[in-house]
Amino acid sequence: QLVETGGGLIQPGGSLRVSCAASGFSISNNYMIWVRQAPGKGLEWVSVIYRDGNTYYADSVKGRFTISRDLSKNMLSLHMNSLRGEDTARYYCAREAIFGAFDIWGQGTMVTVSS
Amino acid sequence: DIVMTQSPDSLAVSLGGRATVNCKSSQSVLKSSTNKSYLAWYQQKPGQPPKLLIYWASTRQPGVPDRFSGSGSGTDFTLTISSLQAEDVAVYYCQQYYSTPQWTFGQGTKVEIK
């Protein structure tokens, strides 16, 4: 199970951290991903942290977002800086299954960037 | 990035009827080393997160009803719901996981009851 927290209303240019608590499995054994969905829109991959700790980002967030994990708490985080209106979305954390697709998703947390 | 294009954007099918959703990738997602297409299908109901239905283009996730089937290889794929039920009303997305970490999704197809 994955449970996201930390969303809210933030002004443009601001910062926010969203988190994802995992239970039932260890995030250290899996690739963990953030996917976002703007209101009424489709799914967009945002960031991933690999088992070895390597991280990757979509071009749309590179340099502004940072993914991290706390293995002692089995928790994933996404630190978001310099937020823009186009970052408004529901942010989901997901687990990549061994076969490569995303088999577990959280309920998501809504981030709204607006003045 | 690999672009995934779904068709149609929406469709309405009678209860018990067949629903067919198509997905085309801008380049092949068939990996020669495994002879598998790295293509998944997800179902998203209103207010819920996506749910994995099918991976490797045609392998059903455990617990997914057998009225859902996937087919295709290379660049062209199809999700078929053989006998549409009311609970199948949702948006369906295809996803390629061939080019990681640049995963990409189709724009979604909304399936409704006629």
Side-chain angles (χ1 to χ4, degrees):
Chain A
Q1 185 182 357
L2 297 169
V3 178
E4 301 92 337
T5 55
L9 175 63
I10 187 78
Q11 290 191 337
S15 299
L16 193 66
R17 184 182 77 171
V18 293
S19 297
C20 171
S23 59
F25 70 96
S26 173
I27 65 170
S28 65
N29 294 331
N30 294 90
Y31 292 6
M32 296 300 298
I33 294 109
W34 286 99
V35 174
R36 69 184 180 183
Q37 186 172 36
K41 301 298 184 182
L43 301 166
E44 179 189 17
W45 166 72
V46 173
S47 182
V48 60
I49 186 164
Y50 283 1
R51 285 185 293 270
D52 62 6
N54 282 339
T55 60
Y56 297 90
Y57 302 90
D59 288 345
S60 58
V61 307
K62 200 173 295 181
R64 300 187 299 121
F65 289 13
T66 302
I67 190 173
S68 62
R69 62 186 181 180
D70 184 335
L71 297 181
S72 67
K73 296 181 179 177
N74 211 29
M75 186 170 287
L76 183 72
S77 291
L78 186 69
H79 300 253
M80 301 180 288
N81 296 322
S82 303
L83 282 161
R84 307 165 180 166
E86 55 264 38
D87 297 318
T88 294
R90 179 165 291 273
Y91 285 74
Y92 295 100
C93 64
R95 183 182 83 167
E96 188 199 51
I98 193 166
F99 45 80
F102 302 165
D103 66 339
I104 300 176
W105 296 67
Q107 288 294 318
T109 187
M110 187 67 202
V111 174
T112 302
V113 183
S114 175
S115 55
Chain B
D1 290 2
I2 298 177
V3 177
M4 308 300 291
T5 304
Q6 292 181 226
S7 62
D9 289 333
S10 65
L11 74 159
V13 176
S14 300
L15 283 172
R18 177 183 295 260
T20 301
V21 181
N22 301 301
C23 175
K24 188 174 185 68
S25 57
S26 61
Q27 65 187 74
S28 177
V29 298
L30 175 65
K31 196 165 283 190
S32 56
S33 58
T34 60
N35 198 33
K36 292 180 185 291
S37 288
Y38 285 53
L39 189 284
W41 288 98
Y42 299 85
Q43 174 194 63
Q44 187 177 32
K45 296 181 180 179
Q48 295 186 21
K51 173 188 173 184
L52 177 64
L53 295 178
I54 286 169
Y55 57 95
W56 296 140
S58 60
T59 302
R60 265 190 305 275
Q61 179 73 339
V64 173
D66 60 7
R67 63 180 180 273
F68 291 92
S69 63
S71 63
S73 180
T75 61
D76 291 279
F77 303 91
T78 300
L79 173 70
T80 301
I81 309 172
S82 60
S83 176
L84 191 74
Q85 305 299 302
E87 61 265 32
D88 301 334
V89 169
V91 178
Y92 293 84
Y93 294 94
C94 62
Q95 176 212 23
Q96 65 80 21
Y97 51 100
Y98 176 92
S99 177
T100 59
Q102 281 78 28
W103 296 276
T104 48
F105 296 85
Q107 80 276 18
T109 294
K110 188 174 185 178
V111 175
E112 300 172 304
I113 303 293
K114 187 188 297 182

